[in-house]
Amino acid sequence: MEVVWAVGQVGAVWMAVVLGLIMVPSALGISLGISEAYMWVLVKTLEWATIRLQNGAKKPQPQVPRTPTANGIIERDETPMEKEIALLHRADFEFSHIFYFCRKGFEAIVEDEVTQRFSSEELLSWNLLTRTNVNFHYISLRLTVVWVIGVVVRYCFLLPLRFTLAAIGITSMIVGTTVVGQLPNGSVKNYLSEVVHLTCSRILVRALSGTIHYHNKENRPQKGGICVANHTSPIDAIILTNDGCYAMVGQVHGGLMGIIQRATVKACPHVWFERSEMKDRHLVTKRLREHVADKSKLPILIFPEGTCINNTSVMMFKKGSFEIGGTIYPVAIKYDPQFGDAFWNSSKYNIVSYLLRIMTSWAIVCNVWYLPPMVRKEDEDAVQFANRVRSAIARQGGLTELPWDGGLKRAKVKDTFKEEQQKNYSKMLVRNGSVGSLSAETESD
């Protein structure tokens, strides 16, 4: 009995600390300075570790440029096809032209610019989490002791604390939205729904030790609009909901995610689709247009890439989100990998493993930029509009803009991509008269 009583006392003290110092302040949107102090200590520790690594290295390491492609192992030449082939000999057909295509093929085999976007970003210095570089080896006893202390803090203190907050946040979300969902439709229900979503999102952000910097809040998405953002992680939605409420768009799931979806849709006009409906693009567009037409409803939150990218690039935006009409509110999200890797590599980790990695990292630090609203121009189709929005997000977030479809994460390259290169080469030959001269020579023979 004494053991049970002691455990109960410890549990009571633990919950009192969680409720009084973290949960209540986060629900009210205030800070007691604990997170700021934690981040200050963390930054100073990582700076000290970086200095120790630099001083303890036996050989000086070459300076690596701080660019999204710094992880590359080959140097690419972005010279256009026609210009590079002309440098080989001349613009007419020559057997030497194959060297251009061979080199491009070798580059794709060694390191293509697509699949590397589906793996975690390489760090420039060790962040005392994982040794992601061969240069991060044993340096000193002092640095090893600090790393061991970090493991104990992350797994024995931060993990239980974050798990407790996450359980409270998810349970509050399910119970709160279920209760609010029983109220009749009206302003009171909408207000309480926004309060529940906002409060629970703040608690979940604290569960990740999240430090989020929002910029240009005057451009925040308004009701009746469409918010589009680059996609790195499932927590992107929580990061944005921490500063405002949105109507989510996505596929119906099972398990715990399904329970949350069924509860939240009762209180908020989220748009969930069955798998069969997702394949019917016209039906999806119709439901989204009906939502946007009602200016009293929350803005729709869409991630048009359709998959998670490692926060170094922005890939092709699906045009469906830009065919709906209405005002687009672009949002750029950029995570700081020094404190934790927010990228979800779904082909390598399931959702449970990913959440464990997130909850045992130091913190989730990111910047969110609200860009000025954009509307589709009269002479602009949906693809051009999507590319314009993507370019704006990439510029603001300091991300590399890639034209490739994120679906290549799990699918093969479409034949249309290969045919496009063939068409470009054939147009070049036709324009220079090579095809005509070859045909004439054939006829004379």
Side-chain angles (χ1 to χ4, degrees):
M1 289 296 294
E2 293 182 358
V3 175
V4 175
W5 183 84
V7 172
Q9 290 293 105
V10 172
V13 173
W14 177 261
M15 290 302 299
V17 171
V18 170
L19 291 174
L21 299 181
I22 302 177
M23 182 177 169
V24 174
S26 62
L28 298 176
I30 60 177
S31 175
L32 300 180
I34 299 176
S35 299
E36 290 78 3
Y38 169 71
M39 291 302 302
W40 183 85
V41 173
L42 182 58
V43 169
K44 293 298 181 182
T45 303
L46 294 179
E47 289 177 351
W48 174 84
T50 301
I51 294 174
R52 294 290 300 182
L53 283 170
Q54 294 174 348
N55 295 338
K58 296 181 179 180
K59 296 181 180 180
Q61 299 298 324
Q63 295 295 325
V64 181
R66 288 179 174 269
T67 62
T69 58
N71 303 327
I73 59 177
I74 60 177
E75 182 178 354
R76 299 180 184 273
D77 186 1
E78 302 298 337
T79 306
M81 177 195 299
E82 184 172 355
K83 183 176 180 180
E84 185 164 344
I85 289 180
L87 293 175
L88 292 175
H89 187 69
R90 57 192 180 93
D92 295 334
F93 174 76
E94 294 286 343
F95 282 109
S96 59
H97 291 182
I98 65 174
F99 295 140
Y100 170 82
F101 298 102
C102 288
R103 183 170 62 81
K104 290 296 182 182
F106 290 145
E107 288 180 355
I109 293 174
V110 174
E111 181 188 42
D112 69 276
E113 63 180 359
V114 178
T115 55
Q116 61 178 312
R117 311 300 174 179
F118 304 134
S119 59
S120 296
E121 179 181 2
E122 182 74 18
L123 297 177
L124 298 177
S125 62
W126 184 33
N127 59 357
L128 300 178
L129 287 177
T130 54
R131 299 178 183 271
T132 57
N133 190 297
V134 294
N135 297 320
F136 298 160
H137 49 76
Y138 176 81
I139 297 296
S140 67
L141 177 61
R142 188 181 303 176
L143 189 62
T144 302
V145 170
V146 172
W147 176 76
V148 172
I149 293 175
V151 172
V152 174
V153 170
R154 289 187 290 113
Y155 282 87
C156 298
F157 177 72
L158 292 180
L159 180 58
L161 175 63
R162 292 168 176 172
F163 181 81
T164 303
L165 289 172
I168 294 174
I170 294 174
T171 303
S172 301
M173 177 77 75
I174 296 174
V175 175
T177 52
T178 301
V179 173
V180 173
Q182 306 304 315
L183 300 176
N185 295 330
S187 58
V188 175
K189 180 179 179 179
N190 294 337
Y191 172 76
L192 293 177
S193 175
E194 293 183 15
V195 170
V196 171
H197 280 83
L198 190 60
T199 302
C200 295
S201 296
R202 288 172 175 172
I203 296 174
L204 292 175
V205 168
R206 293 294 178 91
L208 302 173
S209 297
T211 299
I212 312 168
H213 306 285
Y214 298 96
H215 308 275
N216 307 324
K217 288 191 175 184
E218 66 276 7
N219 296 325
R220 280 189 295 189
Q222 303 298 317
K223 292 185 176 181
I226 302 173
C227 175
V228 297
N230 56 303
H231 197 25
T232 303
S233 163
I235 67 175
D236 291 341
I238 300 176
I239 297 297
L240 294 177
T241 309
N242 182 65
D243 192 48
C245 295
Y246 299 87
M248 308 294 177
V249 177
Q251 181 180 311
V252 174
H253 293 274
L256 177 60
M257 184 63 70
I259 296 175
I260 297 174
Q261 286 181 323
R262 289 190 295 272
T264 55
V265 78
K266 296 177 182 178
C268 184
H270 298 299
V271 184
W272 307 125
F273 297 100
E274 296 288 347
R275 181 179 294 272
S276 58
E277 293 180 348
M278 290 295 288
K279 296 179 180 179
D280 190 345
R281 187 168 60 88
H282 297 288
L283 178 60
V284 173
T285 302
K286 179 182 177 182
R287 292 188 60 182
L288 294 179
R289 281 177 176 166
E290 291 175 352
H291 182 101
V292 173
D294 189 348
K295 300 303 180 182
S296 64
K297 290 186 177 180
L298 295 173
I300 294 178
L301 176 58
I302 300 177
F303 300 104
E305 288 172 296
T307 189
C308 294
I309 312 299
N310 69 353
N311 209 224
T312 63
S313 311
V314 180
M315 303 191 77
M316 185 183 76
F317 279 7
K318 303 292 194 305
K319 66 177 182 178
S321 307
F322 303 88
E323 295 176 329
I324 302 171
T327 304
I328 298 293
Y329 294 88
V331 175
I333 306 175
K334 178 63 177 177
Y335 293 90
D336 189 341
Q338 179 184 9
F339 304 98
D341 183 16
F343 168 62
W344 181 31
N345 186 354
S346 56
S347 60
K348 185 177 181 180
Y349 302 104
N350 57 34
I351 189 64
V352 176
S353 300
Y354 168 74
L355 292 177
L356 180 62
R357 286 170 57 87
I358 288 292
M359 288 191 173
T360 54
S361 64
W362 291 118
I364 296 298
V365 180
C366 73
N367 286 276
V368 176
W369 291 275
Y370 297 111
L371 279 65
M374 305 173 68
V375 294
R376 182 173 168 181
K377 300 178 180 179
E378 294 183 358
D379 59 342
E380 197 174 39
D381 59 26
V383 175
Q384 294 171 333
F385 186 28
N387 292 336
R388 184 159 61 93
V389 174
R390 181 188 64 184
S391 298
I393 292 176
R395 284 194 303 269
Q396 182 63 74
L399 306 170
T400 303
E401 186 178 357
L402 296 176
W404 298 99
D405 185 357
L408 294 174
K409 189 176 186 178
R410 298 180 178 85
K412 295 182 179 180
V413 178
K414 297 180 180 179
D415 293 335
T416 54
F417 288 107
K418 295 181 289 186
E419 293 172 357
E420 183 179 356
Q421 296 297 320
Q422 296 171 352
K423 289 180 180 178
N424 292 337
Y425 182 63
S426 64
K427 289 179 181 178
M428 185 188 71
L429 295 179
V430 171
R431 185 167 55 252
N432 294 318
S434 298
V435 175
S437 61
L438 288 173
S439 300
E441 293 176 4
T442 304
E443 292 177 0
S444 63
D445 291 342

